[in-house]
């Protein structure tokens, strides 16, 4: 039988519903979208700069922004550190909060890459904030002062990164000043920070004698002019370090020193291995001077090349890959509005996979409800603006009237819960009392919201219901008191509660376990609940923890809330 041309058309038009089409016929949009989604994700570098205060984090950030053309002149990024001795200056605290909103995320484009720098406060009183931000970065740059070497705060932050295998690049700063010998410093970094370093650049002289840097990565020499205003640096390609040219450029003595230094470098340190770097097993090191904008371009060029694009993230249910088309993300930071007339807050969401779109309903998995966001903020340099679409790796700021807590997950519908924002034991503990009985509702609400923001941790004593605030630094008590009064119209006072550490108590499989029951009875006055209603033992000394461990060998105590 002959088929008419019409029936042929008809057959062909229904054929596609029965037979899988070759990719070329597949929804073109869908293909292009997955393509561009992948490309967008590959472009992204989301990272944090960590350091001890004063090592040069702010200066380095600013120079990176200058390279990205995001700011025009030096001095535009304000230092967001709390000046020493400012602990009782409330205006200083407010100023700090204002600036830290502005610098929470600094984004710029550089050589086809979209770079997101997440702010990580160096001040130790804000260490929890920094720990949480480190759950949202894909890599970090560690800044070390050449004269001071490895300092306390650097140690703590690097340890957190090491635990999570976050790729790290080390930048040794202030080479224009007298400092430690480069090899001694590399040793110190290995020993004190437990890293396995490999220098990708090496200084030629130091301090007064500082001539420049040999770039092992690009095989060239950067000469230092010492004139920070001009920001001129001369780069000379130098493949063969044994060429007699070297003497002419940096003097005979410096040339001899550089050659023997490099010989030692090649002998002692392993070759750079990108896989090892990405797995957190090897850390490349750069030298430079952020203030003089020296060695910064080299750092940035290498960084965009080797640093990871957004990485997969574990949720309780499964591992989520960034290039999955469905959106997922989690809240790692919440910032209260500075304006007391607008009580909303900004929740910072790291996009783990897919794209986040304006006005699309997303599932808040803890509350089990769908939310829409009409004005999500993206961050660009120091500005934030409303955007229609953001990609995995980016941070969006969502206006929130109280739905979010730190750690919350958003998805397109899948029930996922991202892992890994633990609380650590606070260092300070105080009872919080209501100082204005007419405002107890306001106080309650204020405390609740401040704890959701992660300003401090709240514990409720089991036996009398009293509330205890635990913080990392003493400064937080003043911040809380000030904010309760100015944002919630409530007054509070504190009372000392001499506690050494909070230990999270893991319940045994058998809740009637006699050892566990005895512990609960004997330590009744020291037991409390945290915000997640987990049982916490507030130990008054290291000795009492030891005693508990001896007396109840099967009891499981933990120093973080996630175990
Ligand atoms: P931080 O964010 O890590 O706390 O450090 P920040 O960049 O604020 O730098 C701390 C101090 O170190 C600043 O001086 C800054 O100018 C200086 N600095 C940064 N990089 C270099 C460098 O490569 N060489 C030298 N010599 N100094 C550097 P300050 O006097 O505390 O502040 P300011 O008055 O200069 O702003």
């Amino acid at each position: 039988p002959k088929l008419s041309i019409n029936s042929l058309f008809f057959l062909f038009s229904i054929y596609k519903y029965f037979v899988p089409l070759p990719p070329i016929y597949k929804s073109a949009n869908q293909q292009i979208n997955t393509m561009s989604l992948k490309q967008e994700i590959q472009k992204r570098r989301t990272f944090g700069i960590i350091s001890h205060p004063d090592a040069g984090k702010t200066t380095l950030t600013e120079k990176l922004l200058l390279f990205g053309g995001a700011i025009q002149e030096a001095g535009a990024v304000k230092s967001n550190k709390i000046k020493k001795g400012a602990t009782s200056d409330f205006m200083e605290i407010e100023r700090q909060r204002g600036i830290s909103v502005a610098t929470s995320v600094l984004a710029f484009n550089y050589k086809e890459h979209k770079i997101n720098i997440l702010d990580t406060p160096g001040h130790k009183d804000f260490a929890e904030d920094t720990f949480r931000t480190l759950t949202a970065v894909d890599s970090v740059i560690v800044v070390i002062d050449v004269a001071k070497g490895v300092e306390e705060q650097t140690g703590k932050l690097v340890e957190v990164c090491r635990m999570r295998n976050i790729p790290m690049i080390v930048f040794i700063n202030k080479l224009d000043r007298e400092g430690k010998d480069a090899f001694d410093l590399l040793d110190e970094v290995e020993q004190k920070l437990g890293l396995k370093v490999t220098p990708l650049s090496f200084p030629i002289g130091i301090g007064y004698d500082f001539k420049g840097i040999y770039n092992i990565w690009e095989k060239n020499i950067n000469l230092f002019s010492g004139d920070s205003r001009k920001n001129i640096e001369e780069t000379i390609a130098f493949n063969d370090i044994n060429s007699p040219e070297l003497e002419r450029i940096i003097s005979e003595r410096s040339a001899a020193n550089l050659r023997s230094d490099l010989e030692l470098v090649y002998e002692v340190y392993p070759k750079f291995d990108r896989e090892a770097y990405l797995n957190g097993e090897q850390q490349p090191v750069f030298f430079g001077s952020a203030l003089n904008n020296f060695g910064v371009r080299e750092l940035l060029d290498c960084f965009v090349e080797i640093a990871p694009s957004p990485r997969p993230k574990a949720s309780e249910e499964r591992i989520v890959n960034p290039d999955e088309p469905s959106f997922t993300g989690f809240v790692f930071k919440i910032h209260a509005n500075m304006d007391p007339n607008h009580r909303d807050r900004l929740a910072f969401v790291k996009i783990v996979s897919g794209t986040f779109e304006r006005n699309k309903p997303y599932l808040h998995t803890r509350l089990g409800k769908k939310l829409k966001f009409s004005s999500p903020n993206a961050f660009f340099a120091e500005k934030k603006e409303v955007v229609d679409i953001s990609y995995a790796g980016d941070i969006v700021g969502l206006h929130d009237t109280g739905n979010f807590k730190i750690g919350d997950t958003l998805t397109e519908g899948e029930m996922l819960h991202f892992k890994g924002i633990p609380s650590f034991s606070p260092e300070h503990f105080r009872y919080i009392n209501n100082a204005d009985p007419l405002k107890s509702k306001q106080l309650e609400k204020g405390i609740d919201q401040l704890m959701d923001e992660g300003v401090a941790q709240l514990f409720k004593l089991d036996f009398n219901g009293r509330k205890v605030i635990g913080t990392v630094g003493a400064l937080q008590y003043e911040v809380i008191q000030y904010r309760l009064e100015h944002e919630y119209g409530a007054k509070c006072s504190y009372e000392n509660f001499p506690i050494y550490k909070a230990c999270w108590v893991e319940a045994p499989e058998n809740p009637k376990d006699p050892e566990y029951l005895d512990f609960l009875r004997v330590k009744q006055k020291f037991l409390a609940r945290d915000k997640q209603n987990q049982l916490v033992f507030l130990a008054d000394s290291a000795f009492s923890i030891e005693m508990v461990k001896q007396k109840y060998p099967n009891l499981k105590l933990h120093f973080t809330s996630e175990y």
Side-chain angles (χ1 to χ4, degrees), residues 49-61 79-81 83-84 122 143 145 171-177 288-294:
I49 305 180
I50 57 176
S51 72
H52 192 85
D54 272 348
K57 184 168 68 86
T58 313
T59 314
L60 179 65
T61 307
S79 167
N80 66 359
K81 65 188 160 188
K83 293 250 156 51
K84 290 170 199 99
V143 181
D145 180 324
F171 181 71
I172 297 184
N173 188 29
K174 307 197 186 180
L175 264 278
D176 58 314
R177 286 202 187 157
S289 165
L291 187 65
N292 292 290
N293 206 358
F294 193 79

Side-chain angles (χ1 to χ4, degrees), residues 341-469:
N341 297 323
H342 296 95
R343 190 58 63 69
D344 68 343
R345 312 182 289 177
L346 204 57
F348 290 79
V349 173
K350 161 89 184 275
I351 304 176
V352 177
S353 68
T355 53
F356 181 95
E357 287 165 53
R358 191 156 86 96
N359 280 329
K360 200 167 163 179
Y362 290 119
L363 178 67
H364 184 309
T365 60
R366 181 176 54 85
L367 301 180
K369 75 177 182 193
K370 290 231 169 178
L371 302 171
K372 258 194 214 174
F373 304 91
S374 60
S375 52
N377 285 131
F379 302 86
F380 194 76
E382 286 175 282
K383 293 191 292 284
K384 56 182 171 60
E385 46 199 46
V386 174
V387 280
D388 289 329
I389 186 162
S390 304
Y391 297 85
D394 286 338
I395 311 298
V396 281
L398 305 179
H399 291 279
D400 169 44
T401 45
N403 282 316
F404 287 120
K405 279 189 196 182
I406 286 188
D408 281 346
T409 299
L410 282 177
T411 71
E412 276 185 29
E414 189 177 350
M415 258 303 168
L416 289 179
H417 300 85
F418 283 109
K419 292 206 270 200
I421 306 203
S423 298
F424 294 87
S425 172
E427 309 268 319
H428 306 264
F429 298 83
R430 291 185 196 167
Y431 287 116
I432 184 163
N433 299 322
N434 186 359
D436 182 352
L438 296 176
K439 299 285 171 62
S440 62
K441 275 234 166 66
Q442 285 87 332
L443 184 75
E444 193 98 351
K445 184 168 179 212
I447 294 177
D448 238 30
Q449 294 209 340
L450 292 182
M451 298 307 126
D452 286 352
E453 271 178 45
V455 175
Q457 291 178 56
L458 180 72
F459 302 99
K460 213 168 175 182
L461 285 177
D462 261 1
F463 85 110
N464 62 6
R466 285 192 74 180
K467 286 178 177 164
V468 174
I469 303 266

